């Protein structure tokens, strides 16, 4: 029986118009917003009252699900119509949402053959309530997102499911399509290759899956297309008067109603350090000449005399002698080199390109091009380039073709973009470390959802060794022993260079393995999915393959499950926890350990000679000081990254206010 018949004549909630609504509190004055941010920071974890209310709604939903599960097909569909009608007026805030979710849960059982667990129902209700859910890796977040999106769409609220890459967006949309079809909901997926002419029709659907960059840049393009004088009334009139084939300023998107952000900490926190910029290209020949001169001037400066480095902040300060030297050199030049601010900025960027940005860590050279490596996912970012000429200076350093610079046409940040959704929610396995920042910036609370089964992971601790060679020795020794025992091993690294070094050592020892890093990320899903087979050894950069399920073979589970090895600490402890979450999912056995070296790049910014001295003793006495060194370095990196995000937000707010008072150019 089709769902179309019983729904015929049902008054659907009006679809949102072609406007971009903002939350009401976005229009509050500065003092109110600061006070709200302070309260949100203090109560980043959702309060006990909210948690109690969510627990009661969960119990009500599960009771209704038992009753609804006994209905035949026709009765179930009629129950769906009744539940949908009950939510039309109030949408996500309707008291009938538990019943609508209970019907959706039963629809998942009948269309997908999957019965959502109680914890998944609880997580869906939490996101419908506008919270970020911390849910352990492997607990079925893809199904939770589908339940949440479907329930929201049935209540008349179109939903965007935001993922971290195109593969996950396409995979989840296809996997959950039978559920959406059963419910009579339309679903679409926006990928990088999706033609822009097809995107408006996809965004008009009830549920849209898309990577965070695709949906954010579509928003920027729409703002640029609509212009500064666009208003809801003007756009409605233009929409009514539009002629076939004529030009239009109408946006591709139909509004920002409800967002479900998967891997929310990665999207809302890690990637929030970089602004979103739409740009046009400059002249390549002029950029090459500019980069050559910037490097030539940088050659004339000496560290300590002319400039000073702040490595932990990736910042360079020109000293008075250096400024004087540049002024003397600039007097012989022309054009922008005569202007002190532009001259000094160019030289600082040239020095940064040489001293802070390292090949096979921050970027790779592929087919004669400099390609940025995402510091948090390990993936290549071929469409991204550093701004302010830094990319061209790195290209000049590597001796490859200098590309045109991209001049900004429109700019936004993830903080401002996701803050424009009327309803924002998300889910991740690692949120508690940043719950206060998420609450202060995005004004959503964080609620933890327990695992369905007890966690059986064995933590074998952290071993700190003196240098890289000793670390490789220990890794190779441990891998050979585990592989001989029939275990599966997943080795996590931070950089391309580190994964290559470990791979080379394993190959020299005759250890058969697979390597996954930013150089072959198109294979990441297949490589990660097979990492749980007997004797399989996988070396993976960062969180490559994040979101892909590892199917651990039964014979591996009998031997103790998947073993995860951390070989470097990351800038954030959250990313370390994400890698640990690869093992011992859904109550399975598993184990994890860390092997770290004192010459790790993360420790370069830590000045603690006392701890270093004791750590270098090695043996049992050196372990505690070594672990403390890494904790201090990691916390310093987390503080610096948080400062960078706050600085970006301040700049964006200042620019927004400046443009608001500047008026329109003549």
């Amino acid at each position: 029986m089709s769902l179309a018949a019983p729904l015929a004549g049902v008054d659907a909630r009006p679809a949102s118009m072609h406007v971009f609504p903002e939350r009401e509190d976005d229009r509050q004055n500065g003092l109110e917003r600061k006070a709200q941010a302070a309260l949100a920071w203090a109560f980043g974890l959702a309060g006990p009252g909210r948690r109690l209310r969510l627990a009661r709604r969960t119990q009500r939903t599960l009771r209704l699900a038992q009753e609804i599960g006994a209905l035949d097909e026709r009765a179930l569909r009629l129950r769906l119509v009744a539940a949908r009608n009950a939510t039309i007026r109030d949408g996500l805030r309707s008291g009938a949402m538990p019943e609508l979710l209970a019907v959706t849960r039963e629809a998942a059982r009948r269309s997908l053959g999957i019965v959502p667990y109680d914890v998944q129902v609880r997580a869906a209700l939490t996101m419908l309530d506008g919270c970020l859910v911390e849910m352990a890796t492997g607990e079925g977040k893809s199904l939770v997102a589908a339940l949440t999106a479907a329930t929201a769409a049935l209540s008349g609220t179109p939903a965007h499911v935001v993922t971290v890459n195109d593969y996950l967006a396409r995979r989840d949309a296809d996997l959950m399509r039978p559920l959406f079809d059963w419910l009579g909901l339309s679903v679409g997926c926006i990928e990088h290759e999706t033609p822009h002419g097809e995107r408006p029709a996809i965004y008009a659907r009830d549920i849209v899956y898309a990577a965070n960059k695709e949906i954010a840049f579509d928003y920027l393009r729409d703002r640029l297309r609509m212009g500064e004088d666009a208003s809801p009334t003007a756009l409605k009139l233009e929409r009514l008067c539009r002629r076939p084939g004529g030009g239009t300023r109408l946006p591709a998107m139909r509004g920002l109603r409800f967002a479900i952000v998967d891997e929310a900490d990665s999207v809302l926190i890690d990637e929030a350090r970089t602004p979103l910029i739409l740009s046009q290209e400059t002249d390549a020949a002029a950029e090459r000449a500019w980069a050559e001169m910037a490097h030539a001037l940088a050659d004339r400066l000496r560290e300590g005399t002319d400039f000073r480095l702040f490595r932990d902040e990736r910042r360079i300060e020109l000293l008075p002698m250096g400024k004087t030297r540049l002024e003397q050199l600039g007097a012989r030049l022309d054009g922008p080199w005569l202007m002190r601010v532009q001259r000094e900025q160019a030289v600082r960027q040239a020095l940064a390109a040489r001293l802070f940005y390292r090949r096979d860590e921050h970027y790779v050279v592929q087919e004669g091009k400099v390609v940025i490596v995402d510091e948090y996912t390990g993936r290549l970012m071929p469409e991204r380039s550093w701004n302010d000429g830094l990319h061209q200076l790195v290209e000049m350093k590597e001796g490859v073709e200098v590309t045109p610079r991209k001049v900004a046409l429109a700019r936004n940040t993830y903080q401002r973009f996701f803050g424009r959704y009327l309803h924002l929610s998300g889910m991740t396995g690692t949120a508690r470390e940043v719950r206060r920042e998420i609450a202060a910036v995005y004004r959503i609370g964080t609620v933890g959802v327990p695992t369905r089964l007890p966690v059986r992971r064995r933590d074998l601790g952290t071993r700190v060794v003196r240098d890289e060679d000793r670390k490789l020795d220990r890794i190779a020794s441990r891998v050979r022993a585990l592989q001989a025992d029939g275990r599966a091993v997943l080795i996590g690294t931070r950089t391309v260079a580190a994964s290559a070094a470990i791979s080379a050592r394993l190959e020299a020892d005759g250890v058969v393995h697979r390597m996954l890093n930013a150089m072959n990320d198109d294979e990441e899903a297949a490589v990660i999915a097979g990492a749980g087979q007997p004797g399989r050894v996988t070396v993976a950069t960062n969180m490559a393959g994040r979101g892909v399920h590892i199917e651990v073979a039964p014979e591996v589970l009998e031997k103790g499950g998947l073993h995860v090895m951390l070989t470097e600490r990351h800038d954030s402890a959250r990313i370390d926890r994400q890698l640990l979450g690869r093992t011992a999912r859904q109550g399975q056995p598993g184990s994890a350990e860390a092997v770290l070296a004192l010459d790790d790049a993360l420790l370069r910014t830590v000045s603690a000679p006392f701890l270093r001295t004791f750590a270098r003793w090695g043996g049992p006495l050196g372990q505690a000081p070594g672990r403390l060194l890494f904790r201090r370095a990691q916390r310093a990196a987390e503080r610096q990254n948080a400062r960078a995000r706050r600085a970006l937000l301040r700049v964006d707010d200042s620019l927004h206010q400046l443009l608001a008072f500047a008026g329109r150019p003549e």
Side-chain angles (χ1 to χ4, degrees), residues 636-657:
E638 288 172 340
R639 288 193 296 269
Q640 173 57 29
N641 291 337
R643 285 195 294 268
R645 291 189 294 269
R646 290 195 297 269
L648 176 62
L649 192 55
R650 285 195 298 270
V651 169
D652 191 61
D653 284 341
S654 299
L655 182 61
H656 185 72
Q657 294 174 13

Side-chain angles (χ1 to χ4, degrees), residues 219-387:
Y219 171 83
L220 262 185
R221 293 185 190 98
D222 281 348
R223 298 299 300 186
L224 194 62
R225 182 184 300 116
M226 291 177 351
E228 296 179 4
D229 59 343
S231 66
T233 302
L235 291 174
K236 289 175 187 176
L237 288 173
E238 186 168 340
R239 182 163 153 267
L240 291 172
C241 301
R242 179 175 52 183
R243 296 178 180 177
T248 179
R249 294 187 305 164
L250 293 179
M253 304 172 75
R254 62 164 172 167
L256 304 179
R257 296 288 298 278
F258 181 39
I260 302 165
V261 185
D262 192 11
E263 307 295 359
D265 62 321
S266 176
V267 175
L268 301 180
I269 296 297
D270 296 334
E271 299 207 30
R273 293 169 53 192
T274 306
L276 302 163
I277 299 174
L278 276 180
S279 56
Q280 64 182 11
E281 294 185 345
T282 59
D283 179 66
E287 293 299 340
R288 180 176 184 83
W290 174 86
E292 285 179 345
M293 182 56 66
H295 276 296
L297 292 175
D299 283 337
R300 307 293 294 272
L301 302 184
R302 297 293 176 266
E303 183 179 355
T305 303
D306 299 316
F307 65 90
R308 181 166 52 194
L309 295 181
F310 297 87
R311 293 188 180 276
D312 58 334
E313 301 178 17
R314 285 189 193 172
R315 182 168 64 89
I316 294 171
E317 178 186 358
L318 289 175
L319 300 175
M321 187 173 292
K323 292 181 179 181
T324 301
R325 190 184 301 274
L326 287 179
E327 185 176 0
Q328 294 170 350
L329 295 170
R332 308 172 189 173
L333 304 174
D334 55 11
W337 303 106
L338 293 173
M339 292 178 277
R340 180 183 61 83
V341 173
Q342 293 189 28
R343 180 176 62 240
E344 292 180 0
Q345 171 67 5
V347 173
R348 278 194 298 266
Q349 290 287 73
L351 291 170
R354 297 177 176 193
L355 302 172
F356 295 152
Y357 291 83
R358 294 179 289 275
R359 184 169 177 170
D360 291 340
E361 181 175 348
H362 301 102
Y363 63 91
V364 298
V365 177
Q366 192 176 67
E367 298 179 357
K369 296 181 179 179
V370 170
V371 182
I372 296 175
V373 176
D374 189 293
E375 294 183 44
Y376 292 96
T377 66
R379 294 187 179 94
L380 295 181
M381 311 296 291
E383 302 299 323
R384 183 182 291 183
S385 61
W386 290 301
N387 56 12

Side-chain angles (χ1 to χ4, degrees), residues 191-209:
E191 300 175 87
H192 183 67
E193 302 301 326
T194 304
H196 291 290
E198 298 177 8
R199 297 193 179 204
I202 297 176
Y203 278 118
R205 298 176 188 176
D206 299 312
I207 299 168
V208 178
Y209 281 79

Side-chain angles (χ1 to χ4, degrees), residues 467-477 498 501-502 505:
D467 53 37
E468 181 77 7
D469 289 338
R470 287 177 173 82
K471 181 176 80 171
L472 294 177
D473 288 343
R474 182 169 180 83
I475 291 171
S477 174
I502 292 174
R505 180 55 190 270

Side-chain angles (χ1 to χ4, degrees), residues 363-645:
Y363 63 91
V364 298
V365 177
Q366 192 176 67
E367 298 179 357
K369 296 181 179 179
V370 170
V371 182
I372 296 175
V373 176
D374 189 293
E375 294 183 44
Y376 292 96
T377 66
R379 294 187 179 94
L380 295 181
M381 311 296 291
E383 302 299 323
R384 183 182 291 183
S385 61
W386 290 301
N387 56 12
D388 295 332
L390 178 61
H391 203 88
Q392 289 68 34
L393 290 163
V394 172
E395 289 170 332
M396 176 63 64
K397 180 183 76 170
E398 293 294 339
V400 301
E401 179 184 357
V402 176
T403 58
R405 195 186 305 194
K406 295 179 179 179
V407 179
L409 297 175
R411 169 193 169 106
N412 203 357
T413 60
Y414 279 121
Q415 292 95 323
R416 187 174 294 279
F417 169 67
F418 283 107
R420 289 184 179 273
Y421 275 92
L422 290 177
H423 304 280
L424 178 63
S425 67
M427 53 188 182
T428 181
T430 48
R432 62 174 178 262
E433 294 93 341
V434 290
R435 66 184 186 272
R436 291 188 177 93
E437 182 176 349
I438 287 174
V441 174
Y442 299 99
R443 299 182 294 288
I444 58 175
T446 299
V447 176
V449 174
T451 57
R452 184 175 67 92
L453 297 171
V455 177
R456 297 171 58 192
R457 182 173 61 242
R458 292 185 301 121
D459 188 355
L460 304 182
T462 299
R463 180 73 178 181
V464 180
V465 297
R466 182 172 296 181
D467 53 37
E468 181 77 7
D469 289 338
R470 287 177 173 82
K471 181 176 80 171
L472 294 177
D473 288 343
R474 182 169 180 83
I475 291 171
S477 174
R478 289 286 293 143
V479 168
R480 286 196 302 269
L482 291 163
Q483 192 177 45
D485 195 36
R487 296 283 297 276
V489 183
L490 176 62
I491 303 172
T493 70
R494 189 175 66 236
T495 65
V496 176
S499 65
I502 292 174
S503 177
R505 180 55 190 270
L506 294 177
E507 186 174 355
D509 283 10
V511 177
V512 178
H513 65 283
R514 299 196 68 177
M515 183 175 69
L516 175 65
N517 57 36
M519 301 295 287
N520 58 352
D521 63 338
D522 55 326
E523 305 172 8
E524 69 178 45
V527 173
I528 289 295
Q533 299 307 304
R536 180 70 58 85
V537 177
T538 306
V539 182
T541 303
N542 247 328
M543 289 308 296
R546 185 176 181 179
V548 179
H549 178 65
I550 299 177
E551 190 68 39
V552 183
E555 52 267 45
V556 175
L557 293 175
E558 292 176 2
K559 298 288 183 64
L562 176 67
H563 183 78
V564 169
M565 296 184 70
L566 287 80
T567 62
E568 298 175 283
R569 290 292 184 200
H570 299 87
D571 282 356
S572 171
R574 289 179 295 106
I575 301 179
D576 293 337
R577 285 209 295 129
Q578 289 158 9
L579 187 58
L580 291 176
R582 293 288 196 172
T583 185
R585 299 181 176 190
Q586 291 285 348
Q588 294 178 345
S591 56
E593 66 178 309
V595 181
L596 309 174
L598 290 175
D599 56 1
D600 191 293
L602 184 64
L603 298 184
R604 294 173 184 168
T605 60
V606 177
S607 177
F610 182 77
L611 285 176
R612 286 183 185 273
T613 299
F614 279 97
R616 291 186 68 82
W617 283 0
L621 291 177
Q623 296 305 302
R627 290 192 290 268
L628 182 57
L629 265 176
F630 277 96
R631 282 199 296 271
R632 288 184 58 176
Q634 199 168 54
R635 288 169 184 167
E638 288 172 340
R639 288 193 296 269
Q640 173 57 29
N641 291 337
R643 285 195 294 268
R645 291 189 294 269

